PDB file of all heavy atoms in Angstrom:
ATOM      1  N   ALA A  53     -76.131-133.042 -21.156  1.00 98.00           N
ATOM      2  CA  ALA A  53     -76.857-132.536 -19.983  1.00 98.00           C
ATOM      3  C   ALA A  53     -76.902-133.699 -18.979  1.00 98.00           C
ATOM      4  O   ALA A  53     -77.242-134.842 -19.321  1.00 98.00           O
ATOM      5  CB  ALA A  53     -78.277-132.123 -20.377  1.00 98.00           C
ATOM      6  N   PRO A  54     -76.584-133.379 -17.691  1.00 98.00           N
ATOM      7  CA  PRO A  54     -76.465-134.493 -16.741  1.00 98.00           C
ATOM      8  C   PRO A  54     -77.770-134.900 -16.086  1.00 98.00           C
ATOM      9  O   PRO A  54     -78.748-134.111 -16.147  1.00 98.00           O
ATOM     10  CB  PRO A  54     -75.566-133.844 -15.671  1.00 98.00           C
ATOM     11  CG  PRO A  54     -75.917-132.413 -15.684  1.00 98.00           C
ATOM     12  CD  PRO A  54     -76.223-132.060 -17.129  1.00 98.00           C
ATOM     13  N   GLY A  55     -77.811-136.060 -15.480  1.00 98.00           N
ATOM     14  CA  GLY A  55     -78.879-136.427 -14.571  1.00 98.00           C
ATOM     15  C   GLY A  55     -78.535-135.898 -13.208  1.00 98.00           C
ATOM     16  O   GLY A  55     -77.396-135.448 -12.951  1.00 98.00           O
ATOM     17  N   TYR A  56     -79.501-135.937 -12.292  1.00 98.00           N
ATOM     18  CA  TYR A  56     -79.192-135.491 -10.893  1.00 98.00           C
ATOM     19  C   TYR A  56     -80.104-136.224  -9.951  1.00 98.00           C
ATOM     20  O   TYR A  56     -81.296-136.424 -10.211  1.00 98.00           O
ATOM     21  CB  TYR A  56     -79.466-133.935 -10.809  1.00 98.00           C
ATOM     22  CG  TYR A  56     -79.400-133.479  -9.361  1.00 98.00           C
ATOM     23  CD1 TYR A  56     -78.203-133.387  -8.689  1.00 98.00           C
ATOM     24  CD2 TYR A  56     -80.620-133.220  -8.667  1.00 98.00           C
ATOM     25  CE1 TYR A  56     -78.179-132.993  -7.358  1.00 98.00           C
ATOM     26  CE2 TYR A  56     -80.581-132.816  -7.344  1.00 98.00           C
ATOM     27  CZ  TYR A  56     -79.371-132.709  -6.666  1.00 98.00           C
ATOM     28  OH  TYR A  56     -79.336-132.338  -5.364  1.00 98.00           O
ATOM     29  N   HIS A  57     -79.555-136.650  -8.827  1.00 98.00           N
ATOM     30  CA  HIS A  57     -80.396-137.164  -7.715  1.00 98.00           C
ATOM     31  C   HIS A  57     -79.873-136.576  -6.430  1.00 98.00           C
ATOM     32  O   HIS A  57     -78.682-136.503  -6.172  1.00 98.00           O
ATOM     33  CB  HIS A  57     -80.307-138.701  -7.677  1.00 98.00           C
ATOM     34  CG  HIS A  57     -81.396-139.274  -6.849  1.00 98.00           C
ATOM     35  ND1 HIS A  57     -81.424-139.254  -5.516  1.00 98.00           N
ATOM     36  CD2 HIS A  57     -82.563-139.916  -7.225  1.00 98.00           C
ATOM     37  CE1 HIS A  57     -82.523-139.863  -5.058  1.00 98.00           C
ATOM     38  NE2 HIS A  57     -83.224-140.240  -6.084  1.00 98.00           N
ATOM     39  N   ALA A  58     -80.834-136.150  -5.590  1.00 98.00           N
ATOM     40  CA  ALA A  58     -80.512-135.384  -4.352  1.00 98.00           C
ATOM     41  C   ALA A  58     -80.266-136.266  -3.139  1.00 98.00           C
ATOM     42  O   ALA A  58     -80.357-135.790  -2.028  1.00 98.00           O
ATOM     43  CB  ALA A  58     -81.654-134.417  -4.076  1.00 98.00           C
ATOM     44  N   ALA A  59     -80.007-137.562  -3.332  1.00 98.00           N
ATOM     45  CA  ALA A  59     -79.894-138.451  -2.155  1.00 98.00           C
ATOM     46  C   ALA A  59     -78.966-137.883  -1.101  1.00 98.00           C
ATOM     47  O   ALA A  59     -77.834-137.471  -1.419  1.00 98.00           O
ATOM     48  CB  ALA A  59     -79.397-139.851  -2.627  1.00 98.00           C
ATOM     49  N   ASP A  60     -79.412-137.948   0.135  1.00 98.00           N
ATOM     50  CA  ASP A  60     -78.524-137.691   1.252  1.00 98.00           C
ATOM     51  C   ASP A  60     -77.792-139.014   1.581  1.00 98.00           C
ATOM     52  O   ASP A  60     -78.448-139.980   1.997  1.00 98.00           O
ATOM     53  CB  ASP A  60     -79.357-137.185   2.448  1.00 98.00           C
ATOM     54  CG  ASP A  60     -78.451-136.964   3.685  1.00 98.00           C
ATOM     55  OD1 ASP A  60     -77.328-137.496   3.745  1.00 98.00           O
ATOM     56  OD2 ASP A  60     -78.893-136.210   4.597  1.00 98.00           O
ATOM     57  N   LEU A  61     -76.496-139.006   1.368  1.00 98.00           N
ATOM     58  CA  LEU A  61     -75.754-140.260   1.458  1.00 98.00           C
ATOM     59  C   LEU A  61     -75.571-140.795   2.871  1.00 98.00           C
ATOM     60  O   LEU A  61     -75.011-141.880   3.053  1.00 98.00           O
ATOM     61  CB  LEU A  61     -74.396-140.104   0.769  1.00 98.00           C
ATOM     62  CG  LEU A  61     -74.461-139.679  -0.709  1.00 98.00           C
ATOM     63  CD1 LEU A  61     -73.052-139.506  -1.242  1.00 98.00           C
ATOM     64  CD2 LEU A  61     -75.174-140.736  -1.549  1.00 98.00           C
ATOM     65  N   SER A  62     -76.063-140.052   3.854  1.00 98.00           N
ATOM     66  CA  SER A  62     -76.045-140.608   5.230  1.00 98.00           C
ATOM     67  C   SER A  62     -77.202-141.568   5.430  1.00 98.00           C
ATOM     68  O   SER A  62     -77.275-142.250   6.448  1.00 98.00           O
ATOM     69  CB  SER A  62     -76.099-139.464   6.229  1.00 98.00           C
ATOM     70  OG  SER A  62     -77.295-138.783   6.156  1.00 98.00           O
ATOM     71  N   ASP A  63     -78.103-141.675   4.441  1.00 98.00           N
ATOM     72  CA  ASP A  63     -79.324-142.496   4.555  1.00 98.00           C
ATOM     73  C   ASP A  63     -79.310-143.617   3.500  1.00 98.00           C
ATOM     74  O   ASP A  63     -79.503-143.336   2.324  1.00 98.00           O
ATOM     75  CB  ASP A  63     -80.511-141.575   4.381  1.00 98.00           C
ATOM     76  CG  ASP A  63     -81.843-142.336   4.433  1.00 98.00           C
ATOM     77  OD1 ASP A  63     -81.825-143.550   4.610  1.00 98.00           O
ATOM     78  OD2 ASP A  63     -82.897-141.668   4.272  1.00 98.00           O
ATOM     79  N   PRO A  64     -79.122-144.874   3.935  1.00 98.00           N
ATOM     80  CA  PRO A  64     -79.065-146.005   2.954  1.00 98.00           C
ATOM     81  C   PRO A  64     -80.340-146.081   2.110  1.00 98.00           C
ATOM     82  O   PRO A  64     -80.261-146.440   0.918  1.00 98.00           O
ATOM     83  CB  PRO A  64     -78.925-147.214   3.884  1.00 98.00           C
ATOM     84  CG  PRO A  64     -78.304-146.725   5.097  1.00 98.00           C
ATOM     85  CD  PRO A  64     -78.845-145.332   5.304  1.00 98.00           C
ATOM     86  N   GLN A  65     -81.504-145.674   2.647  1.00 98.00           N
ATOM     87  CA  GLN A  65     -82.737-145.742   1.911  1.00 98.00           C
ATOM     88  C   GLN A  65     -82.634-144.793   0.687  1.00 98.00           C
ATOM     89  O   GLN A  65     -83.025-145.120  -0.443  1.00 98.00           O
ATOM     90  CB  GLN A  65     -83.887-145.345   2.812  1.00 98.00           C
ATOM     91  CG  GLN A  65     -85.258-145.287   2.126  1.00 98.00           C
ATOM     92  CD  GLN A  65     -85.724-146.648   1.666  1.00 98.00           C
ATOM     93  OE1 GLN A  65     -85.720-147.608   2.429  1.00 98.00           O
ATOM     94  NE2 GLN A  65     -86.125-146.773   0.387  1.00 98.00           N
ATOM     95  N   GLN A  66     -82.138-143.544   0.949  1.00 98.00           N
ATOM     96  CA  GLN A  66     -81.998-142.597  -0.142  1.00 98.00           C
ATOM     97  C   GLN A  66     -80.933-143.038  -1.167  1.00 98.00           C
ATOM     98  O   GLN A  66     -81.073-142.755  -2.370  1.00 98.00           O
ATOM     99  CB  GLN A  66     -81.676-141.199   0.442  1.00 98.00           C
ATOM    100  CG  GLN A  66     -82.800-140.630   1.260  1.00 98.00           C
ATOM    101  CD  GLN A  66     -82.573-139.192   1.618  1.00 98.00           C
ATOM    102  OE1 GLN A  66     -82.048-138.386   0.843  1.00 98.00           O
ATOM    103  NE2 GLN A  66     -82.984-138.823   2.840  1.00 98.00           N
TER     104      GLN A  66
END
Side-chain angles (χ1 to χ4, degrees):
Y56 170 75
H57 197 284
D60 178 339
L61 301 177
S62 63
D63 177 359
Q65 177 67 50
Q66 294 189 37

